[in-house]
Amino acid sequence: MARTRFEWSIWILLAALLGTGWIVVSRSPVTESRGITLTEAPIVGHLAPTFTLPTTTGESVALASYFGETAETGQPVVLNFWATWCGPCRIEMPHFQDASLRYKGKVAILGVNQGESVQTITAYAESIGITYPLLVDADNQVNLTYNVNNLPTTVFIDRQGIVREVVIGTMSKGVLEDRIERLLREQ
Amino acid sequence: MYPSINLGPFVLPTAPTVYLLGVWLALSAVERAAKWLKQDAEWSYGVAATAVFVGFIGARLSFVYIYWAAFRENLLGIVWPLNTGYNIWGGIIFGIAAAFFYGRAKQLPLAQTLDVLIPGLIIGLMAVSIADFLAGPGYGTLTNMPWGISQYGVRRHPVQLYETAVGVAALFIWWRTSQLRLFNGQLFLITLATYSAGRLFVEAYRDNAWVTANGYHIVQIISLISLLATLILLARFSLSERPKPKH
């Protein structure tokens, strides 16, 4: 260990220089193409795993149908994994409802329920006035595919089907709209 | 990677299990450290347990405060379910404040208490890394190294395991220094400096790092500030008149 003031100064200076240098060297690129790896995975930079699920009204929704080969032809998707027993999910669902109306035709907002019955989902959705599509994942296969361990989990997917962000936990209305605006700005 | 473990008919979620195990190991480590350093084990354990308990409640109440509009008509939602809905900064502030006031009330010496608490803190941080590795959203940068792990068809740095290794190194340094220490508080500072330096290095291999607008990793910046602060304090206490450890 250093014994004199001079030796300590050298060590501290060295730590500052090496530490700052390492931070600069390991800085992440800020371009939009950062880290994109075109395999299917529920993590940022990968293609969102595709699925087809029924809604509470019996229609079939295929995730792939929202995406295009170019930025002009596709539509961003916000996947919100939730359950009626999940308090934090209930907090943010009105924000998703507001966003579904505000961004109608620009962004698809889909609620993916975790393992509950159509009756349970429908009763809750009607009680709080949810009108965006609620998908029924009765056997939890899509929840497992998206590695959803905590509710709520929200996956933001761009127009080309690439996962841009995964948010675990409740979002405020401001945060949700900020993320949606970011998706809309991306070309 | 392993969000749950199946034990017969039971499904055990790995992340909460690791967190609970981490709290238990951290509190046990504090108790053992107190005995090893000949401090009052009961009060040291009390500080750590109070910080964890109040931190947990503080994290929840902070979240409720931020989203009060959503809880106002659902007061039961404040206490159940508790699987999500925490504000980490609220938890940290409440936890530190609780530990501080507990220490003041019991008139615990600050430097010796920090020497005892730091192994528990490091074990807690290791538990966070392991939980993230098993069931969290974090992942490392791409690599061709043989120790890379395959995630969804690509090989990545096991960055959370690197973080865990840094924790092990910091605990080893704590144990080694405990046999040679020169002044009270030295164990805390050296262990924190080791952990900060390690996190500064390995955070570069995290692909989903929390970054500034310019792409700088925020954890690296915090680690560097922590490293420099601990080195400056180590220098100051080493050069000044040193209180001898009580043995």
Side-chain angles (χ1 to χ4, degrees):
Chain A
M1 185 178 281
R3 298 213 173 263
T4 66
R5 186 176 295 273
F6 177 74
E7 283 177 10
W8 273 112
S9 303
I10 294 292
W11 278 110
I12 292 166
L13 193 65
L14 202 61
L17 286 174
L18 287 175
T20 307
W22 182 242
I23 289 173
V24 171
V25 167
S26 56
R27 186 171 76 102
S28 296
V30 288
T31 58
E32 292 299 327
S33 62
R34 178 190 163 217
I36 287 178
T37 313
L38 294 178
T39 55
E40 279 197 4
I43 52 179
V44 176
H46 289 245
L47 287 169
T50 53
F51 62 82
T52 302
L53 281 178
T55 66
T56 49
T57 52
E59 296 150 9
S60 187
V61 170
L63 183 69
S65 66
Y66 292 97
F67 308 132
E69 289 186 9
T70 65
E72 288 74 30
T73 55
Q75 190 179 34
V77 174
V78 179
L79 282 184
N80 176 238
F81 291 87
W82 71 287
T84 59
W85 51 262
C86 161
C89 304
R90 296 161 76 123
I91 292 169
E92 64 178 10
M93 284 185 80
H95 306 328
F96 284 95
Q97 174 62 24
D98 292 345
S100 72
L101 299 175
R102 183 173 172 185
Y103 298 101
K104 193 171 185 177
K106 296 178 184 170
V107 173
I109 291 178
L110 305 174
V112 183
N113 180 267
Q114 192 176 68
E116 293 180 297
S117 68
V118 174
Q119 291 78 8
T120 305
I121 300 169
T122 306
Y124 179 69
E126 285 177 356
S127 72
I128 62 166
I130 298 295
T131 57
Y132 60 86
L134 296 177
L135 311 184
V136 184
D137 186 21
D139 57 4
N140 275 334
Q141 278 308 306
V142 173
N143 275 269
L144 286 172
T145 303
Y146 274 80
N147 203 20
V148 176
N149 305 305
N150 298 286
L151 291 178
T153 292
T154 305
V155 183
F156 293 87
I157 307 169
D158 74 9
R159 299 170 200 272
Q160 294 174 73
I162 296 167
V163 176
R164 288 298 183 184
E165 190 171 4
V166 179
V167 176
I168 297 173
T170 310
M171 280 182 293
S172 66
K173 190 174 181 179
V175 170
L176 175 63
E177 291 187 357
D178 173 63
R179 299 302 195 275
I180 291 174
E181 294 287 349
R182 278 194 215 174
L183 282 179
L184 289 172
R185 280 198 298 270
E186 285 177 2
Q187 293 299 317
Chain B
M1 292 182 73
Y2 304 102
S4 58
I5 301 168
N6 292 318
L7 297 170
F10 300 105
V11 178
L12 203 61
T14 47
T17 306
V18 171
Y19 287 135
L20 285 175
L21 200 62
V23 168
W24 176 69
L25 285 173
L27 292 176
S28 302
V30 167
E31 195 174 20
R32 282 173 176 270
K35 287 176 182 167
W36 178 254
L37 298 177
K38 297 183 172 53
Q39 301 291 319
D40 190 312
E42 189 182 336
W43 286 4
S44 302
Y45 187 91
V47 174
T50 303
V52 170
F53 182 68
V54 176
F56 175 76
I57 293 174
R60 181 64 171 182
L61 290 181
S62 306
F63 182 84
V64 171
Y65 175 75
I66 293 166
Y67 297 105
W68 174 242
F71 283 99
R72 192 165 43 206
E73 292 174 5
N74 176 31
L75 294 178
L76 189 63
I78 296 172
V79 291
W80 191 260
L82 294 171
N83 59 332
T84 53
Y86 298 93
N87 182 275
I88 183 70
W89 298 110
I92 290 170
I93 291 167
F94 273 80
I96 290 173
F100 175 77
F101 286 115
Y102 185 98
R104 284 290 295 270
K106 301 289 182 188
Q107 295 183 322
L108 300 180
L110 179 65
Q112 289 99 315
T113 306
L114 290 175
D115 282 344
V116 167
L117 292 181
I118 189 69
L121 178 65
I122 297 293
I123 288 174
L125 291 168
M126 287 166 68
V128 171
S129 297
I130 293 169
D132 187 32
F133 177 72
L134 292 174
Y139 55 92
T141 53
L142 298 175
T143 181
N144 289 319
M145 297 297 180
W147 60 82
I149 54 166
S150 184
Q151 278 182 298
Y152 306 105
V154 290
R155 192 170 279 273
R156 294 182 179 276
H157 281 286
V159 65
Q160 301 97 327
L161 297 187
Y162 298 167
E163 292 169 6
T164 309
V166 167
V168 172
L171 290 176
F172 176 76
I173 293 289
W174 181 92
W175 174 72
R176 282 292 295 162
T177 312
S178 70
Q179 298 165 330
L180 312 163
R181 67 191 175 128
L182 301 171
F183 57 91
N184 293 322
Q186 186 188 20
L187 286 181
F188 171 77
L189 292 172
I190 285 187
T191 309
L192 189 58
T194 306
Y195 190 77
S196 301
R199 288 297 298 263
L200 170 61
F201 179 68
V202 303
E203 181 67 14
Y205 299 102
R206 181 176 279 275
D207 205 19
N208 64 331
W210 189 26
V211 296
T212 65
N214 298 323
Y216 295 110
H217 293 210
I218 290 170
V219 170
Q220 284 187 311
I221 295 168
I222 293 170
S223 298
L224 180 60
I225 292 168
S226 168
L227 173 63
L228 294 178
T230 49
L231 286 179
I232 289 167
L233 288 172
L234 272 171
R236 186 178 164 191
F237 292 132
S238 296
L239 294 169
S240 65
E241 200 173 340
R242 303 159 184 161
K244 296 292 179 195
K246 290 174 185 171
H247 277 296

